[in-house]
Amino acid sequence: MAPPAPPKSSQGQVMNNARIHFFSILLALQYGAQPLISKRFIRREVIVTSSVLTCELAKVICAVFFMAKDGSLRKLYKEWTLVGALTASGLPAAIYALQNSLLQISYKNLDSLTFSMLNQTKIFFTALFAYFILRQKQSIEQIGALFLLIVAAVLLSVGEGSTKGSAIGNADQILFYGIIPVLVASVLSGLASSLCQWASQVKKHSSYLMTIEMSIVGSLCLLASTLKSPDGEAMRQHGFFYGWTPLTLIPVIFNALGGILVGLVTSHAGGVRKGFVIVSALLITALLQFIFDGKTPSLYCLLALPLVVTSISIYQKYPYQVKKKES
């Protein structure tokens, strides 16, 4: 006698978990390979703002294509409102824009090692805001897994930054223009990630639609900054595509697809899971550097590998269990 078919809700959960794993693996591969692809195909002369704006345009095109393919584009035309877009995507986009500005200030006033280690605190703040905004609780085991992940991220940061130079400046400059900006940026990153998850899971805002809206808002902010920025002056003097070659489109489009995947992972699995994916991607970068450049992974990287694997395993195996009240 054949076993009974599993309930539809169970089948849906299995399909959703499979989808989450698939998107997470693709995002880890994209995030891990992006530095090597960018290094090979983007020349030094390329103006950063031009590549970022082109990437945002590519995100919008990809998202529109996927929405047209799944049939949600026609529904969007009937139901989209400006107020709904600003509520769901406007605030996270503005927060991310402010976060990026703070990171740029901090990066100039801290050595790479200190910057990278402090930047990993965004994983903790993402979990914290997920609790306050979404009431997404973590089990004791998951909290321990988050701690292991942060330790692994710090080890990877040490390996990445051990050969870099140190910051130049006095103690006050390092504190007010280095440490404080990166910590505020980490708080903002956790807040924006949780707001995106809230919009997609509570407000049922499509991840593709959020990608489009946030890309447009972010591009408008970036265009406004070119009025006074060195990149804006360079584009006015040399042209928008100065230094570009046909190969420059490869990392730009690759990065755009990564932005789509970030939205999918956040909407289906949450910002905390995205933190696991990004830290795992650092190990993929080290592996690809060894394969293509012959650069041996550092001792810190080898120590971080079992920590990342263990933390991911624990986090997935021991989810928070809702306690049923006795009747």
Side-chain angles (χ1 to χ4, degrees):
M1 183 176 178
K8 289 186 177 180
S9 59
S10 177
Q11 290 179 342
Q13 184 66 32
V14 171
M15 289 293 294
N16 188 56
N17 289 337
R19 192 180 297 113
I20 290 172
H21 289 311
F22 178 69
F23 291 149
S24 299
I25 291 171
L26 287 181
L27 179 58
L29 291 173
Q30 181 275 326
Y31 201 90
Q34 188 69 44
L36 283 79
I37 295 175
S38 298
K39 184 178 179 181
R40 280 167 169 75
F41 298 128
I42 297 182
R43 296 166 61 184
R44 288 182 176 272
E45 296 83 5
V46 172
I47 302 170
V48 174
T49 301
S50 70
S51 64
V52 173
L53 286 173
T54 307
C55 177
E56 296 301 326
L57 176 61
K59 283 183 189 178
V60 172
I61 294 173
C62 291
V64 169
F65 170 78
F66 289 127
M67 290 182 72
K69 189 175 180 181
D70 65 16
S72 60
L73 194 59
R74 184 177 301 176
K75 181 181 178 182
L76 166 67
Y77 178 75
K78 296 178 180 179
E79 298 180 359
W80 185 87
T81 62
L82 179 60
V83 175
L86 292 176
T87 303
S89 304
L91 182 58
I95 291 174
Y96 276 129
L98 177 58
Q99 174 208 350
N100 290 333
S101 299
L102 289 171
L103 289 177
Q104 291 299 321
I105 295 171
S106 177
Y107 193 73
K108 294 177 181 178
N109 293 280
L110 287 177
D111 61 273
S112 298
L113 174 57
T114 305
F115 173 84
S116 297
M117 288 194 297
L118 291 175
N119 196 31
Q120 304 309 326
T121 57
K122 61 188 177 185
I123 301 171
F124 166 77
F125 289 114
T126 300
L128 186 65
F129 280 110
Y131 171 74
F132 285 113
I133 295 175
L134 298 163
R135 294 301 175 186
Q136 183 178 323
K137 299 181 180 180
Q138 313 286 331
S139 66
I140 297 297
E141 293 84 359
Q142 286 182 321
I143 294 174
L146 285 172
F147 175 76
L148 286 178
L149 186 70
I150 293 176
V151 171
V154 169
L155 286 173
L156 289 167
S157 301
V158 171
E160 185 271 337
S162 57
T163 58
K164 303 289 182 69
S166 59
I168 300 174
N170 55 40
D172 289 340
Q173 179 181 350
I174 293 174
L175 175 62
F176 291 106
Y177 295 97
I179 295 175
I180 291 179
V182 71
L183 288 177
V184 174
S186 294
V187 174
L188 293 176
S189 176
L191 175 59
S193 181
S194 297
L195 287 174
C196 289
Q197 186 178 347
W198 169 81
S200 61
Q201 295 182 354
V202 178
K203 290 295 183 180
K204 305 302 180 185
H205 215 60
S206 165
S207 62
Y208 295 131
L209 179 57
M210 286 196 67
T211 297
I212 295 172
E213 293 169 347
M214 292 182 66
S215 293
I216 292 174
V217 173
S219 296
L220 291 175
C221 294
L222 197 57
L223 283 171
S225 71
T226 58
L227 297 175
K228 296 292 184 180
S229 69
D231 277 9
E233 182 63 30
M235 285 192 290
R236 287 188 288 271
Q237 184 176 356
H238 302 291
F240 186 85
F241 292 107
Y242 177 71
W244 280 60
T245 67
L247 294 176
T248 308
L249 284 172
I250 295 176
V252 169
I253 295 175
F254 204 64
N255 197 18
L257 292 173
I260 299 287
L261 288 170
V262 166
L264 291 170
V265 170
T266 302
S267 63
H268 285 88
V272 177
R273 180 72 66 88
K274 185 187 71 175
F276 279 87
V277 172
I278 290 177
V279 175
S280 302
L282 299 177
L283 298 172
I284 294 177
T285 300
L287 177 62
L288 293 177
Q289 284 180 339
F290 174 70
I291 294 173
F292 293 103
D293 296 338
K295 183 179 178 181
T296 306
S298 66
L299 175 61
Y300 300 103
C301 183
L302 297 177
L303 290 174
L305 176 59
L307 291 178
V308 172
V309 174
T310 303
S311 64
I312 292 175
S313 176
I314 292 175
Y315 194 88
Q316 294 179 347
K317 189 175 181 180
Y318 299 100
Y320 178 79
Q321 300 292 336
V322 179
K323 297 179 180 179
K324 296 182 179 180
K325 294 183 180 180
E326 295 182 3
S327 57

